[in-house]
């Protein structure tokens, strides 16, 4: 735990240092741009830093990494957190989500700036447009910070491989985000028997690879890992990433706002066509399925309607089915880990983190 806390502190320090340099650039253009930096700081403070932790553990899993300069991996871990912040800003716009980690989401913050200034036009339009730009800015900054770290690498081959893995992750998560919004709208014309498979595909590309697998591989690549080592981390990271997102989907339906920082049942209001919804629809009678479909995605759902949908989903057996899937995916990850060339002490650390990310309470 102490080592994890130390890493979080190092990553936060690296992010803060980077933001100071970018603040000088941005505010030189105009003092009106200070909100971009201030809101960036807000979205880059706190959080569990799971992606940074997986990146660092991927690095540590490579024999001899303890003798290397850690600057490249700390920069990569920080870049992953900035990329994650960018994705959250854009995700909240797409989902019309007003809160993030218990506070206002970026577009709502910019709305408040507009309203407080008494400016022309609609606050909502200004908020969305400004948040899109903030997300774009964070995406660019994640690249810049990664490049700064790669320049510090003593191994140009490892640096190129780390950059390649980062680029692939960025493409895959964007594709997964598109698949997510596609499923929210195209499910009506898809074959019923395909909905679960399609929901699983969204999990793989929108979250599993980018949350767990890619950070592990990026960290290991920067430490000079060979192909067998990288493949072992991929085999471990993908099922663990799937389990991580399945847990997140349960939190999105049943989570306590005090724990998740999002209103309870937020995924129901947003109409997320997740694995739990696909499993519930399979088990429900036609009338109950029609009731679920009729309410899912209504942003005006009141607490009583949310509760009724939660009870319906529980009664379908979908929660138990998802818990079984999580258990199976974690078991697959452990099998892959113990069959890997990774040293036993590092296996223990990876297993411990796996337990943390898949046992979150709701």
């Amino acid at each position: 735990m102490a080592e994890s806390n130390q890493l979080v502190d190092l990553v936060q320090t690296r992010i803060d240092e980077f933001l100071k340099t970018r603040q000088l650039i941005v505010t030189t253009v105009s003092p009106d741009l200070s909100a971009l930096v201030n809101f960036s700081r807000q979205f880059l403070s706190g959080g569990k830093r799971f992606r940074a932790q997986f990146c660092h553990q991927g690095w540590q899993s490579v024999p001899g990494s303890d003798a290397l300069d850690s600057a490249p991996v700390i920069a990569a871990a920080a870049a992953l957190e900035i990329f994650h912040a960018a994705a959250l800003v854009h995700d909240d716009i797409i989902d019309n989500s007003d809160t993030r980690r218990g506070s206002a989401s970026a577009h709502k913050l910019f709305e408040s700036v507009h309203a407080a200034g008494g400016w022309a036009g609609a606050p909502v339009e200004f908020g969305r447009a400004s948040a899109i730009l903030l997300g774009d800015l964070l995406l660019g900054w994640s690249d810049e910070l990664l490049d700064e770290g790669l320049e510090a690498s003593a191994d140009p081959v490892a640096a190129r491989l780390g950059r390649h893995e980062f680029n692939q992750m960025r493409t895959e998560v964007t594709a997964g985000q598109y698949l997510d919004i596609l499923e929210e709208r195209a499910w009506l014309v898809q074959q019923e028997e395909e909905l679960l498979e399609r929901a699983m595909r969204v999990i793989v590309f929108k979250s599993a690879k980018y949350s767990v697998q890619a950070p592990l591989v990026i960290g290991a690549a920067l430490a000079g890992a060979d192909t067998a080592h990288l493949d072992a981390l991929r085999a471990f990271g993908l099922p663990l990433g799937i389990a991580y997102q399945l847990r997140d989907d349960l939190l999105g339906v049943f989570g306590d706002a005090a724990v998740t920082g999002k209103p309870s049942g937020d995924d129901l209001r947003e109409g997320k066509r997740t694995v739990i919804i696909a499993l519930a629809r399979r088990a429900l009678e036609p009338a109950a399925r029609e009731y679920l479909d009729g309410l899912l995605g209504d942003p005006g759902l009141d607490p009583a309607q949310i509760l009724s949908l939660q009870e319906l989903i529980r009664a379908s057996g979908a929660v138990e089915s998802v818990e079984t899937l999580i258990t199976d995916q974690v078991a697959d990850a452990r099998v892959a880990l113990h069959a890997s060339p990774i040293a036993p002490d590092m296996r223990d650390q990876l297993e411990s983190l796996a337990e943390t990310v898949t046992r979150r309470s709701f």
Side-chain angles (χ1 to χ4, degrees), residues 152-175:
S153 174
D155 185 343
V157 174
R160 284 196 297 271
L161 182 56
R163 162 54 77 180
H164 169 77
E165 294 295 340
F166 189 92
N167 290 349
Q168 182 165 322
M169 173 204 70
R170 185 175 54 197
T171 296
E172 288 177 341
V173 73
T174 304

Side-chain angles (χ1 to χ4, degrees), residues 138-149:
L138 289 169
L139 281 173
W141 282 351
S142 70
D143 260 358
E144 291 176 30
L145 180 49
L146 178 65
D147 286 341
E148 285 185 9

